[in-house]
Amino acid sequence: MSRTELFMFLWLSSWLPVSLPTLWLWAVSLILTLGLLQLTRLLTKRQKLFQALKSFPEPPTHWLFGHAMEIKKEGELDKVLSWANIYPCAHQLWMGGFIGFLNIYDPDYTKAVFSRGDPKAFDVYGFFLPWIGKGLLVLDGPKWFQHRKLLTPEFHSEVLRPYVDLFAESTKAMLNKWEKKIQTDKCVNIFPDVGHMTLDSLTKCIFGRSSKTQTQSDIGYFQAIGQLTLLMQQRLANFHYHNDLFYYWLTLHGRKFLQACKVAHDYTDKVIRTRKAALKEEEEQKKIQRKKRLDFLDILLGVGVNLGVSMGFDSGKASVDLESPVPLSLFQLVSPLSLLILLLFLCICSSSHRKGDQWRKETAYPELPGGTREGQDENKIKLSDADLRAEVDTFIFEGHDTTTSAISWFLYCISLHPEHQQRCREEVQEILGNRNTIQWEDLGKMTYLTLCIKESFRLYPPVPQIYRQLNKPITFMDGKSLPEGSLVSLHIYALHRNPAVWDKPEVFDPQCFSPENSSTRHPYAFMPFSAGPRNCIGQQFAMMEVKAVTALCLLHFEFSPEPSRLPIKRLQLILGAKDGIYLNLKKLM
């Protein structure tokens, strides 16, 4: 040992306990102290929640596991539904021994909470942070409002219109897969195929990727998203996984989760960098392109004026503002703009401090009601790279499994009711005529299909349960109240089957959503996309996709249930099926 090493050893020894047993004693003491502090924090939190919920009924519970054991034994959906029939309006619901919610399923209770815009419950949605970051799902306060305002125009109908072709492209690939499968077995598990199709559609709409040009990184991203969804569902279902330190450091599932997060983040970052670089390179080209578009409009104007003169119209009254943008849909007929490109436009627009109207004209972005683009940068609202990735990852998370669940359960519902299936099919055939694909204009005409989709949403809501944390006290219509900080769970599944609202809650009846019946129903009785200020920003996107996909499915196949393999409902993040959804398929065209 050198003199320097000896000096360092003696110096470090002076800071350490004199013996290893003493060192272990210090370590054990530290661990016990930290454990005691954590236990004290949990007990304090439990007592606070217990005091807040004490005026509400409580089903039989275990001191440590809460209601988890009862739910696991009988299944949460059916168990909570049975409790809802015993306890009107609401009851306590404990996830383990330290997190307690007021579980509500009454329209008036629901309106009292969800009309206010309280933040998401961090005790649940905080688990999503390592994956999706601080996007719209978990944001709160002014930053949530800014992001919501900024992103709302990306779901404007003029932006969504071209995506119908992308939905049709992915759906046809799935239908071709089913056609091959039924050559050997008429019974098909539709759930995984629908899941792959919706993720394929979503990546096309967000990233502008074509499934025909998928790379190995694309396939790896698909696999990582599937793994993340499964692991997140597993973590929520096991309360001992709720501690971050235990989950990420001491469990194999936690390490797999972090690895899958890295794959997903690396992919998103790479695509964002590539798209951003391409947009910056095209900055100069935009001026040239805009001039060409204005020249094109000038030609159209001249043709229009000459045509008007030839038909006897007063050419002096004809005027066109050549500074107005070309409608976005005209250009998207050739190349739809991905959601990521539109978000990058926001970043570039904000960083260069352009006026909203000027940018809207240069990019041919649609003018919204009110004359200017909502969420533009006059208030210096800007998405950073981290914000951008968080929102993209949030779109993937919220738009993938939810639509998979919606489409799969709809096809199951319609397979049980051939009379409604046939009526929907005839409606689609009448609208399309000799065409075998869907166009934007067709979706608004599918009135009976829409009724059936809403009824399947009622019986099988894609997101059966959502959570809020009150940012101020609340008093319900019956006089009971909750203090600030209380946790509230809205059980949408139980709300949609509440016999006080629905005459025959277990019966599939599309007429529940006829104009006559809908007009007299409580506005908070049907909430497949949540409600109030924090409702689902992508609900129009989701409805478009569900309509387009199910219409094409009904056009190509007849669906019937497989009695020996009926689906078993499984609730975690979304309403899934334990072993999938098996249906018998018969080719029609």
Side-chain angles (χ1 to χ4, degrees):
M1 180 181 293
S2 68
R3 182 177 299 179
T4 303
E5 290 173 337
L6 178 61
F7 174 78
M8 290 296 298
F9 175 77
L10 293 174
W11 182 81
L12 288 172
S13 297
S14 67
W15 289 91
L16 293 174
V18 294
S19 65
L20 283 177
T22 306
L23 178 62
W24 278 107
L25 182 62
W26 275 75
V28 171
S29 299
L30 178 61
I31 292 172
L32 289 176
T33 301
L34 292 175
L36 183 61
L37 289 174
Q38 177 72 356
L39 180 61
T40 302
R41 186 186 69 82
L42 290 174
L43 290 174
T44 302
K45 180 178 180 180
R46 171 183 166 78
Q47 185 62 23
K48 184 178 179 181
L49 290 172
F50 179 78
Q51 289 297 322
L53 297 170
K54 67 180 181 180
S55 61
F56 296 92
E58 178 185 12
T61 184
H62 188 277
W63 70 273
L64 178 60
F65 300 108
H67 295 108
M69 302 301 290
E70 285 289 316
I71 285 172
K72 188 173 183 179
K73 182 170 60 176
E74 299 187 31
E76 180 172 356
L77 294 172
D78 294 330
K79 189 60 184 179
V80 172
L81 197 58
S82 69
W83 286 335
N85 292 327
I86 298 172
Y87 310 106
C89 303
H91 64 77
Q92 298 182 39
L93 183 64
W94 288 86
M95 297 172 60
F98 301 101
I99 302 179
F101 292 84
L102 178 66
N103 192 47
I104 63 175
Y105 34 81
D106 174 83
D108 288 319
Y109 266 65
T110 302
K111 180 180 179 181
V113 176
F114 284 80
S115 61
R116 307 191 329 166
D118 292 279
K120 301 291 179 71
F122 191 79
D123 290 275
V124 175
Y125 296 99
F127 298 147
F128 298 94
L129 286 176
W131 175 12
I132 65 175
K134 293 185 177 180
L136 275 181
L137 181 67
V138 296
L139 277 176
D140 183 32
K143 190 171 183 180
W144 170 83
F145 179 79
Q146 290 177 347
H147 279 222
R148 177 80 182 207
K149 183 180 180 182
L150 193 65
L151 296 174
T152 295
E154 315 314 327
F155 296 92
H156 186 269
S157 58
E158 286 299 315
V159 177
L160 299 179
R161 178 189 296 261
Y163 296 151
V164 176
D165 291 337
L166 301 182
F167 297 151
E169 179 183 320
S170 296
T171 304
K172 288 179 180 177
M174 179 183 70
L175 297 177
N176 291 336
K177 185 187 299 184
W178 285 352
E179 186 174 354
K180 294 177 182 178
K181 284 187 175 182
I182 63 174
Q183 293 176 2
T184 56
D185 189 352
K186 301 295 182 183
C187 186
V188 176
N189 182 7
I190 66 168
F191 211 95
D193 293 334
V194 173
H196 187 275
M197 180 272 299
T198 57
L199 187 55
D200 183 46
S201 294
L202 202 56
T203 52
K204 288 176 183 175
C205 295
I206 293 178
F207 297 129
R209 292 279 193 178
S210 170
S211 55
K212 297 178 181 179
T213 59
Q214 281 185 359
T215 64
Q216 190 62 39
S217 62
D218 296 328
I219 297 172
Y221 181 71
F222 273 54
Q223 294 172 342
I225 294 299
Q227 190 176 34
L228 283 169
T229 303
L230 182 63
L231 290 170
M232 182 64 72
Q233 291 172 344
Q234 186 184 58
R235 188 179 184 189
L236 282 176
N238 296 276
F239 79 92
H240 56 282
Y241 278 178
H242 291 184
N243 181 272
D244 287 346
L245 181 64
F246 176 80
Y247 182 67
Y248 294 124
W249 287 87
L250 300 178
T251 70
L252 179 61
H253 292 147
R255 291 192 290 274
K256 285 183 176 179
F257 183 83
L258 292 178
Q259 291 169 0
C261 280
K262 186 179 186 306
V263 173
H265 292 164
D266 288 347
Y267 180 89
T268 308
D269 288 340
K270 180 180 177 181
V271 175
I272 289 174
R273 286 196 304 269
T274 303
R275 297 293 191 272
K276 184 176 285 189
L279 283 176
K280 287 182 178 179
E281 290 176 3
E282 292 171 2
E283 278 291 294
E284 292 300 321
Q285 294 296 323
K286 286 181 182 178
K287 296 179 181 179
I288 300 174
Q289 293 170 0
R290 180 170 179 266
K291 185 178 183 303
K292 289 181 179 180
R293 293 200 294 269
L294 292 178
D295 291 342
F296 176 65
L297 278 178
D298 199 9
I299 294 172
L300 288 181
L301 175 64
V303 173
V305 170
N306 292 335
L307 181 62
V309 170
S310 67
M311 296 180 66
F313 293 107
D314 184 358
S315 61
K317 296 181 180 179
S319 63
V320 174
D321 181 9
L322 292 181
E323 290 300 308
S324 64
V326 182
L328 182 65
S329 56
L330 178 63
F331 296 98
Q332 287 192 335
L333 288 175
V334 178
S335 179
L337 294 177
S338 70
L339 287 173
L340 176 59
I341 293 295
L342 294 173
L343 290 174
L344 287 171
F345 275 145
L346 291 177
C347 296
I348 292 173
C349 167
S350 299
S351 61
S352 60
H353 303 293
R354 297 175 182 170
K355 293 295 183 182
D357 281 342
Q358 178 186 352
W359 171 74
R360 177 178 56 78
K361 292 170 184 176
E362 290 184 3
T363 58
Y365 201 76
E367 184 172 345
L368 301 183
T372 59
R373 187 182 184 281
E374 185 181 357
Q376 58 202 19
D377 68 324
E378 64 267 19
N379 294 323
K380 302 296 186 294
I381 301 173
K382 180 182 176 181
L383 288 178
S384 67
D385 287 350
D387 293 333
L388 193 61
R389 189 182 78 180
E391 297 302 349
V392 169
D393 288 337
T394 298
F395 291 161
I396 289 287
F397 166 69
E398 292 198 275
H400 169 221
D401 271 3
T402 51
T403 49
T404 299
S405 174
I407 293 167
S408 299
W409 285 108
F410 168 83
L411 293 176
Y412 171 69
C413 284
I414 217 73
S415 74
L416 298 174
H417 302 90
E419 69 281 8
H420 297 304
Q421 180 179 168
Q422 184 58 27
R423 185 169 173 182
C424 288
R425 182 177 295 111
E426 290 173 355
E427 179 183 68
V428 173
Q429 290 171 338
E430 182 179 352
I431 292 170
L432 299 188
N434 295 326
R435 291 184 286 117
N436 64 351
T437 191
I438 303 292
Q439 297 176 356
W440 166 265
E441 293 77 12
D442 299 328
L443 301 180
K445 303 173 185 177
M446 299 177 182
T447 54
Y448 196 75
L449 178 63
T450 302
L451 296 183
C452 291
I453 290 172
K454 288 183 176 181
E455 179 66 351
S456 72
F457 280 171
R458 182 184 72 81
L459 289 172
Y460 301 97
V463 182
Q465 196 169 9
I466 52 180
Y467 308 89
R468 294 288 187 270
Q469 183 167 7
L470 303 184
N471 56 13
K472 58 183 178 181
I474 190 172
T475 300
F476 297 105
M477 77 293 181
D478 55 6
K480 294 181 179 179
S481 61
L482 284 175
E484 178 184 349
S486 299
L487 303 176
V488 177
S489 159
L490 169 61
H491 208 279
I492 298 177
Y493 184 87
L495 174 70
H496 286 182
R497 294 174 184 246
N498 189 333
V501 179
W502 311 93
D503 291 336
K504 298 178 180 179
E506 301 295 333
V507 176
F508 183 87
D509 181 12
Q511 291 306 318
C512 287
F513 295 93
S514 67
E516 302 79 26
N517 291 327
S518 297
S519 62
T520 58
R521 187 179 302 120
H522 196 294
Y524 284 80
F526 179 65
M527 292 180 51
F529 298 105
S530 186
R534 296 199 65 136
N535 66 345
C536 176
I537 192 174
Q539 57 184 287
Q540 186 178 1
F541 180 96
M543 280 299 294
M544 276 177 49
E545 182 173 10
V546 174
K547 282 186 185 181
V549 173
T550 55
L552 288 172
C553 288
L554 292 173
L555 201 64
H556 288 78
F557 290 98
E558 181 181 290
F559 299 88
S560 60
E562 173 52 52
S564 64
R565 308 183 81 170
L566 295 178
I568 301 172
K569 299 185 294 290
R570 182 188 65 183
L571 168 62
Q572 288 172 326
L573 294 179
I574 55 97
L575 181 59
K578 184 178 180 181
D579 298 311
I581 296 180
Y582 287 84
L583 299 178
N584 292 310
L585 276 59
K586 179 182 177 181
K587 187 77 169 64
L588 295 177
M589 59 176 295

